[in-house]
Amino acid sequence: MDKIVMKGGAELHGEVVVSGAKNAALPILASALLADGTSTFRNVPDLADVATMLKVLRTMGCDAERLTARKKDVCEVGVNGAITPEAPYDLVKTMRASVLVLGPLVARFGRARVSMPGGCAIGARPIDQHLKGLKALGADIHLTEGYVEARAKQLKGGTVNFDVITVTGTENVLMAAVLAKGRTVMENCAREPEIEELARVLNKMGARIEGAGTSIITVEGVEGLTPVDHAILPDRIEAGTLLVAAAISGGNVLVKHAVPEHLDAVIDKLREAGCTLTAEAGGLRCKAPRTLHSVNITTTEHPGFPTDMQAQLMALMCVSHGTSVISENIFENRFMHVPELHRLGADITVQGHTAVVKGVKTLSGAPVMATDLRASASLILAGLRAEGRTDVSRVYHLDRGYERLERKLRALGADIKRVTAKA
Ligand code: EPU
């Protein structure tokens, strides 16, 4: 298994470019199932999760490939023949976002058989709201042998009121509603930029969606959609992670392609901590003093502070002056990075869904283990500041959601490299 080996202490300087957004790419690739023909997606990040989604689509009979050579960021998904509308356990267990094929499959092919995703490192993560939404559109749903089986000759528009705000749940039901007969009103929807982006793509394909990015989305069903050519928006969580890298190193970095409006809550917290954040042509700059102040953080749904940035901000709070209270309100088990940060010398106490972080003067490098995607990012951020050598193992978690993070940090001046395990 690969590991990241780093030595802390360098201030990061320069410019870095953000890749396309993982959490937009995954539903958008699945949305290609809604039309006959080949859709082309650009700015698709080269990530393990994207490779898994392409594999899920190929398993069903789609032509789904990343173009190589000069067009590495381009993926084509072709629906050109018979489709087997099934996502098997082996793939869904490696990536729960595979469940995003459920809505398009039942809408387009009248049936779907998709393995139930189990719990994962950060929480139980049920899909009851996805199923509630599809049922409201007339799908007949059964759970057998660990699979969700959904059927509907023709979905019909209806009202869906989500009990819980869910990102992929909103996306799954939206992708089903576009081909349902009549009007669907979705209430209490997630408002993430990735949902607006999905709606943008679906509308380009011929869908009639209004209100994406607000809590009420209205869809007028259409009879069919056509393939699309679309460049995916930049990843706000990767951008946020790079801003924190600048902050924790006391550096000055321009994060190119970062969209400030997608990062309001993160920008507020970094400013409160003492950083100077400025929107510049083509990106967002973070300039940091060597010592920052503690800030309190409460994760909530967008536009609140994102749970996907909680671990990274916690790394920053470990070396900030004062005491920070961090409350995680989205997932019940998203403090797995805490014991690993302790190994680097952090002072953190967890009680329930709250962590109290007392800033320390120095962290000291150590071998640590990544437990999930954002946890691995937080360990690398802490390693940027820790004295001496930090080895982060299990970096396959990192590769699910960051495109060559170590190369981007090295180009900014970090002493960091990947050590590839010999087979
Ligand atoms: N929930 C339910 N029932 C459902 C769906 C969700 O109770 O049917 C609960 C979840 O258990 C959780 C909360 O609702 O407590 C929010 O979960 P949500 O469904 O919004 O999460 P998700 O759609 O599974 C997406 C991102 C995650 C990100 C969350 C929250 C994708 C592919 N994944 O997951 O991204 O943390 O929204 O913003 O979009 C990551 O990139 O590291 C990551 C985990």
Side-chain angles (χ1 to χ4, degrees):
M1 272 187 279
D2 291 3
K3 64 177 179 177
I4 300 285
V5 175
M6 57 196 302
K7 282 205 186 102
E11 285 180 13
L12 303 191
H13 287 275
E15 297 181 0
V16 59
V17 178
V18 177
S19 302
K22 168 179 84 81
N23 289 347
L26 297 174
I28 287 171
L29 289 169
S31 75
L33 284 164
L34 290 163
D36 254 343
T38 301
S39 290
T40 304
F41 302 110
R42 300 168 198 280
N43 203 31
V44 184
D46 190 4
L47 303 172
D49 275 8
V50 167
T52 305
M53 183 55 89
L54 292 172
K55 198 164 173 192
V56 170
L57 294 167
R58 277 198 302 276
T59 307
M60 291 175 194
C62 301
D63 303 311
E65 294 295 343
R66 178 177 292 278
L67 302 188
T68 48
R70 281 180 303 124
K71 289 185 175 169
K72 277 206 173 111
D73 68 316
V74 181
C75 290
E76 285 185 350
V77 182
V79 185
N80 298 312
I83 292 293
T84 310
E86 178 163 329
Y89 176 63
D90 278 355
L91 290 174
V92 180
K93 79 173 184 216
T94 63
M95 185 186 70
R96 51 182 305 108
S98 313
V99 78
L100 284 163
V101 298
L102 184 59
L105 285 178
V106 69
R108 176 84 200 293
F109 303 99
R111 65 194 177 91
R113 186 167 186 270
V114 174
S115 173
M116 285 280 286
C120 79
I122 60 176
R125 304 182 76 182
I127 57 161
D128 56 304
Q129 298 301 308
H130 303 226
L131 304 184
K132 172 180 165 171
L134 295 176
K135 276 185 198 159
L137 302 184
D140 193 14
I141 297 198
H142 293 282
L143 304 181
T144 44
E145 299 167 345
Y147 279 74
V148 178
E149 293 197 355
R151 281 177 188 272
K153 272 208 181 93
Q154 164 72 65
L155 291 175
K156 292 189 182 62
T159 299
V160 178
N161 189 307
F162 292 105
D163 302 324
V164 180
I165 299 177
T166 156
V167 176
T168 48
T170 301
E171 292 165 347
N172 233 338
V173 178
L174 179 62
M175 288 188 281
V178 290
L179 288 183
K181 201 171 173 57
R183 166 185 269 230
T184 297
V185 179
M186 297 166 57
E187 296 167 346
N188 202 25
C189 295
R191 293 179 282 164
E192 269 68 2
E194 292 76 19
I195 290 173
E196 271 185 272
E197 178 77 347
L198 172 64
R200 208 172 286 126
V201 170
L202 294 169
N203 281 342
K204 269 189 177 178
M205 294 171 82
R208 292 174 58 201
I209 302 167
E210 278 178 15
T214 75
S215 55
I216 299 182
I217 302 180
T218 310
V219 184
E220 296 292 343
V222 295
E223 285 201 348
L225 298 179
T226 51
V228 71
D229 187 328
H230 184 81
I232 287 169
L233 88 175
D235 195 309
R236 66 195 162 95
I237 304 300
E238 187 201 1
T241 304
L242 292 165
L243 293 171
V244 177
I248 203 164
S249 76
N252 181 348
V253 172
L254 175 63
V255 181
K256 292 179 88 172
H257 299 179
V259 181
E261 309 84 78
H262 294 168
L263 283 156
D264 283 342
V266 174
I267 292 172
D268 278 358
K269 288 297 165 187
L270 288 174
R271 281 192 178 139
E272 211 181 312
C275 298
T276 307
L277 278 280
T278 26
E280 290 184 12
L284 188 54
R285 179 176 295 280
C286 178
K287 187 165 177 281
R290 194 65 194 164
T291 309
L292 293 161
H293 322 288
S294 290
V295 295
N296 295 335
I297 291 155
T298 300
T299 65
T300 51
E301 296 88 359
H302 191 79
F305 190 90
T307 174
D308 291 346
M309 283 298 299
Q310 178 258 109
Q312 299 90 316
L313 257 289
M314 187 184 287
L316 185 64
M317 291 303 103
C318 287
V319 289
S320 296
H321 185 70
T323 299
S324 158
V325 178
I326 300 182
S327 304
E328 171 56 55
N329 293 312
I330 304 294
F331 293 112
E332 59 274 27
N333 192 23
R334 213 172 195 184
F335 284 140
M336 302 270 282
H337 38 287
V338 170
E340 299 302 308
L341 290 170
H342 281 158
R343 291 182 50 73
L344 299 174
D347 181 347
I348 308 168
T349 318
V350 173
Q351 200 154 48
H353 66 103
T354 301
V356 177
V357 186
K358 290 189 182 145
V360 294
K361 283 217 168 71
T362 50
L363 294 175
S364 123
V368 287
M369 213 161 61
T371 48
D372 72 65
L373 168 56
R374 307 303 171 188
S376 43
S378 84
L379 297 177
I380 287 175
L381 293 169
L384 288 175
R385 182 66 178 260
E387 283 177 2
R389 173 173 161 163
T390 297
D391 288 16
V392 183
S393 57
R394 302 203 175 162
V395 289
Y396 53 85
H397 289 295
L398 185 76
D399 296 338
R400 294 186 58 174
Y402 289 92
E403 202 177 44
R404 295 178 279 274
L405 183 62
E406 76 283 2
R407 278 200 218 165
K408 293 188 181 186
L409 294 174
R410 195 166 58 240
L412 294 172
D415 182 347
I416 181 169
K417 65 178 178 193
R418 175 179 296 251
V419 177
T420 305
K422 294 189 180 71

